[in-house]
Amino acid sequence: MTRAAPTTLRPTTPKEVRDAVLDTPGRLAITGAGTARHWAGRPAGVDATLDLSGLSGVIAHNPGDMTVSVHAGTPLRALQDELAAHGQRLALDAARVARGATVGGLVATADAGPSALVYGGMRDLVIGATTVLADGTMVRSGGHVIKNVAGYDVAKLMHGSYGTFGPLVEVVLRLHPAPRATTCVAVDGPVDRAAEHVLRLMASPLEPIAVEWLSGEPGRLLVRLEGGERTLPARVARLVELLGDGAREVDGAAAWDAHAALTAGSGAAPDAAVVRIGCAPRTLAPLIGRLPATAVTAGLATGVATVTVPATAVPEVHDTVAAAGGTSVLRDRPASAEVPAWGPAPSSLALLRAVKTRLDPDARFAPGRFDPWM
């Protein structure tokens, strides 16, 4: 039997999202800009798609409190442009922001970028959220007060949920001042040498904002510093001295664009897959050496890396990362590849299933994303 193409619903208000959930029978896939459509498990048995890209825009910006609430489908790039006029920013630089990633999508996929070293990921920047549950209940948690604890857990529950608990419709975020000056220092070398640099760097008072190694011949370590226009040059000089021969300032925009492209798997072979891994920072460099990776971006101070590997090697990657005490999730693969999206099930799987049953008892939202766990 040929299955009809699922209907796509495009609500533009939270009420329309609620109405779509209540009025549409069956299972719902949830999407925004589509920049993470291939991440995690493939949607399966979907009857309709809830496209939240039309649910966009700033709801309230409080520059004095450094908070902003936005609709979930707001592209982060557009939000940053609005915040820049006030000398503020959301301190998140995930690789796919330039491709139009939305605020809600970044929360739902637990995505982050190199600056997570200092500012954390979306989990650390979200102070409130509103979501629609399967029975139409609109759940609102947190708010514009950064130290308000009420509802925190619900907002963070949505972080990395891939929409399985329900669609986000509104997100409240804490902001940071935009830096007056930023620079990037690079030094070439293999990952083992880069890891030695990072150990010395993190023990120094230089306070880097991001520290990432990119694979290549022989590879390159990028270090981002932020600060005042008058004070930054002195810190750069000390950083160059610490990293030693070959260290120099480089074009930061070009360097980080190259990092984003490598993280996305751009230019990879047609049979390649992209896997995000996480482990203890000290174990990351040796772990990378054991993987059949053809391209790598590695946060040697955060323990988070993205590797491009042959799709046939994905099960091996999951097993190797799990044996090192880490976690892994598939971010991209060829359309024809049938490979596991996740590594071994976590010890918290029973709790995950219980929360899913409580919030979405008929398993309507985002079927397949956590396959085969639930």
Side-chain angles (χ1 to χ4, degrees):
M1 181 177 68
T2 301
R3 187 184 181 84
T7 301
T8 297
L9 308 166
R10 293 188 176 86
T12 58
T13 67
K15 182 180 181 303
E16 288 181 3
V17 175
R18 178 178 180 273
D19 291 345
V21 169
L22 288 176
D23 297 342
T24 308
R27 297 182 168 189
L28 297 171
I30 301 170
T31 187
T35 55
R37 65 169 64 90
H38 300 304
W39 292 20
R42 287 183 171 128
V46 172
D47 296 290
T49 296
L50 197 55
D51 179 352
L52 300 182
S53 60
L55 187 65
S56 178
V58 172
I59 301 168
H61 177 204
N62 298 324
D65 294 334
M66 301 194 74
T67 61
V68 65
S69 59
V70 300
H71 290 301
T74 305
L76 179 53
R77 183 174 51 187
L79 175 61
Q80 299 285 37
D81 289 343
E82 290 198 39
L83 297 175
H86 299 273
Q88 298 181 350
R89 61 172 170 170
L90 180 71
L92 189 104
D93 53 358
R96 61 193 174 99
V97 170
R99 291 185 280 122
T102 64
V103 170
L106 290 162
V107 174
T109 56
D111 198 11
S115 66
L117 172 65
V118 170
Y119 298 107
M122 273 300 207
R123 184 181 187 280
D124 305 287
L125 300 171
V126 171
I127 58 174
T130 302
T131 190
V132 178
L133 301 184
D135 64 357
T137 302
M138 194 88 76
V139 177
R140 193 181 301 273
S141 65
H144 283 265
V145 180
I146 291 176
K147 292 185 179 179
N148 179 11
V149 177
Y152 249 38
D153 290 344
V154 175
K156 288 174 171 50
L157 186 65
M158 298 300 155
H159 185 256
S161 67
Y162 284 87
T164 54
F165 300 142
L168 279 165
V169 295
E170 179 182 333
V171 180
V172 187
L173 302 156
R174 64 178 302 185
L175 305 175
H176 288 84
R180 293 185 178 276
T182 302
T183 193
C184 181
V185 172
V187 61
D188 295 336
V191 67
D192 293 346
R193 182 69 186 281
E196 294 171 0
H197 286 315
V198 171
L199 282 177
R200 294 199 307 278
L201 176 58
M202 299 311 294
S204 78
L206 290 171
E207 299 180 337
I209 299 300
V211 180
E212 294 276 325
W213 180 79
L214 287 68
S215 61
E217 295 296 335
R220 174 172 290 187
L221 181 68
L222 301 179
V223 182
R224 183 191 306 160
L225 294 182
E226 296 177 352
E229 294 175 347
R230 297 177 61 182
T231 59
L232 193 57
R235 291 171 59 209
V236 171
R238 291 161 59 195
L239 174 59
V240 169
E241 180 180 2
L242 182 145
L243 296 178
D245 290 344
R248 72 282 185 193
E249 281 191 88
V250 297
D251 181 343
W256 292 110
D257 283 349
H259 176 278
L262 202 61
T263 300
S266 300
D271 64 345
V274 178
V275 183
R276 186 78 154 180
I277 65 176
C279 63
R282 282 180 177 271
T283 65
L284 184 57
L287 174 59
I288 289 171
R290 296 196 295 273
L291 301 178
T294 57
V296 178
T297 58
L300 296 174
T302 61
V304 176
T306 305
V307 298
T308 300
V309 299
T312 53
V314 169
E316 173 191 345
V317 172
H318 286 319
D319 291 344
T320 304
V321 173
T327 59
S328 54
V329 57
L330 197 60
R331 281 199 162 178
D332 202 358
R333 75 284 236 178
S336 60
E338 295 297 333
V339 292
W342 302 90
S347 58
S348 59
L349 180 58
L351 176 60
L352 180 64
R353 287 173 171 166
V355 173
K356 173 70 172 176
T357 300
R358 177 74 173 179
L359 300 182
D360 181 20
D362 295 326
R364 295 184 62 204
F365 293 128
R369 284 295 201 179
F370 283 99
D371 181 68
W373 299 348
M374 65 181 192

